[in-house]
Each structure stands twice: as C-alpha cells, then as structure tokens.
Amino acid sequence: MEPIILASSSPRRQEILHTLNIPFVVNPADIDETVHDMKPEEIPEFLAAKKVEAVVKRISQTTEPGWVLAADTVILFKNKIFGKPKDIDEARNFIKKLQGTSHKVITGLALYNGKIHYMSTRTSINKVTFKEMTDKEIDFYLNTSEWHGVAGAYRIQGMGSCFIKKIEGTESSIMGLPIFELYDMLSEQNYSFED
C-alpha cells in the first residue's frame, strides 16, 4: 500500500489508520482556523481542505505529494461550536451544558490524490446524547484530565464514554476520522489496499 501523508498530529486519527493497516507519515498542517460567514456544519470540511492545501503546497516545493489526508472535527450544540477548552473552567462549562442533552459531532475529511492532482471532501454528521450528570460525576470526569486538547472537552474512547447514553452515527467519526467515508473516498480514487 502507498503511504498516506496525514496532515494531523492527532493520536486518534493515527490509531484509526493503524487499525486499517494503512501506512502513513505524520506531517501536520499549520493553518489559521479563523472562519467567517460560514454555516457551522460546513466548517470542518472547509478546514480539512485548507489543511490539505497547506501540506500539499509545503511538500510540493521539494517533491511530488502522493496522498494527503486531513480531517477536522467540531462539536456543535445549539448552533454554537465547542472547541478545545482553554482550561478546566471552560471544560466544566462545556460538560455542564452537554450533560442531559444531545449535540452534533461533525467531522470533515479532505483527501488529495497527487497522481491526478485532485482533492475530494466529505462530511460526517453524528449525534451524541449525554446522560444527566451530577456535579460529583462532572468533577470526577474533569479530574481524569481527558478534557485536555479535545473538542467539547470529552473523548468518546475514554472515560467520557461512561456518560454517553446514545450515539447516532459512527464511533470512528466521533473520534475524528470516519472509517466508512475514508474507505469510500480512497476506493473511489483507486487507492490500492493490496500490499
């Protein structure tokens, strides 16, 4: 299989590519994620495409890029985006708002095929419902420090799953790299899954 350049340093995305036995090289994109006048549901796909473009531009100065993959995930609650909390107080605020309710987890994907100089994009929208949590449960969760560096202050594959009552969608998409959409995009562009 041809290696894919992953325009992300996310351990979750790397873990999913390992699970699929897809070889990859990590080459994170450094972009300005400021977005104006855009529907929240469109932001992840837009940012994923910007990440791919940044990495392709950087790599193409020295070599011809092959496959470049990027993803971006946002938590959307009452039309407001919950990003990565800056501190424990903001994490507490996020969890208090999310508990006992449902929210959307939106992941955008962008895949560049260097052979044909073509980029395709997709969006996966999922719904996550948290159980009602007591202040003690919220404090317990926050003390695990799992909220660091993740959108919405929780990870579905960690202790946060103790409080997730229902998922409508796929766990891989909520983790940040939807397997179905990724496989479909790679297949569509004739990526060889053979060794």
Side-chain angles (χ1 to χ4, degrees):
M1 278 188 257
E2 296 174 74
I4 289 176
I5 295 165
L6 178 62
S8 167
S9 56
S10 162
R12 285 343 120 225
R13 293 183 181 124
Q14 293 175 44
E15 184 183 314
I16 290 170
L17 289 176
H18 276 303
T19 301
L20 299 174
N21 290 319
I22 295 175
F24 65 93
V25 177
V26 175
N27 193 333
D30 183 22
I31 63 163
D32 176 8
E33 297 193 13
T34 307
V35 178
H36 302 287
D37 301 324
M38 187 176 282
K39 292 179 183 174
E41 290 87 349
E42 296 172 352
I43 292 172
E45 191 173 303
F46 173 78
L47 290 177
K50 275 184 71 172
K51 290 175 184 179
V52 164
E53 288 166 359
V55 170
V56 168
K57 184 178 179 183
R58 187 172 64 224
I59 291 172
S60 62
Q61 294 175 0
T62 56
T63 184
E64 184 64 40
W67 298 91
V68 182
L69 172 67
D72 192 80
T73 302
V74 299
I75 305 293
L76 186 62
F77 178 67
K78 295 186 177 177
N79 219 35
K80 184 176 183 336
I81 291 178
F82 285 20
K84 297 172 183 173
K86 63 181 179 295
D87 56 32
I88 195 166
D89 292 330
E90 188 171 41
R92 178 176 282 105
N93 184 39
F94 285 177
I95 296 297
K96 280 193 172 216
K97 286 180 179 174
L98 296 177
Q99 63 87 28
T101 65
S102 297
H103 61 274
K104 290 180 182 176
V105 180
I106 305 165
T107 298
L109 278 180
L111 176 69
Y112 176 79
N113 180 341
K115 291 177 185 172
I116 58 174
H117 304 281
Y118 173 75
M119 179 170 54
S120 60
T121 59
R122 298 271 172 90
T123 294
S124 173
I125 300 177
N126 307 268
K127 189 174 168 185
V128 174
T129 304
F130 267 74
K131 77 177 214 73
E132 289 192 23
M133 297 168 69
T134 64
D135 287 342
K136 188 175 178 182
E137 286 174 320
I138 291 171
D139 288 340
F140 161 74
Y141 173 70
L142 293 173
N143 286 333
T144 68
S145 295
E146 269 192 15
W147 57 270
H148 281 281
V150 289
Y154 75 91
R155 288 186 172 96
I156 192 170
Q157 69 280 14
M159 289 300 293
S161 63
C162 294
F163 308 107
I164 294 172
K165 187 176 180 179
K166 184 178 175 185
I167 294 172
E168 294 172 52
T170 63
E171 188 172 332
S172 65
S173 182
I174 296 164
M175 284 173 66
L177 190 59
I179 292 173
F180 174 80
E181 286 80 359
L182 174 61
Y183 179 80
D184 200 43
M185 291 168 80
L186 288 167
S187 298
E188 190 176 84
Q189 297 203 32
N190 299 315
Y191 178 83
S192 175
F193 288 93
E194 308 286 319
D195 285 333

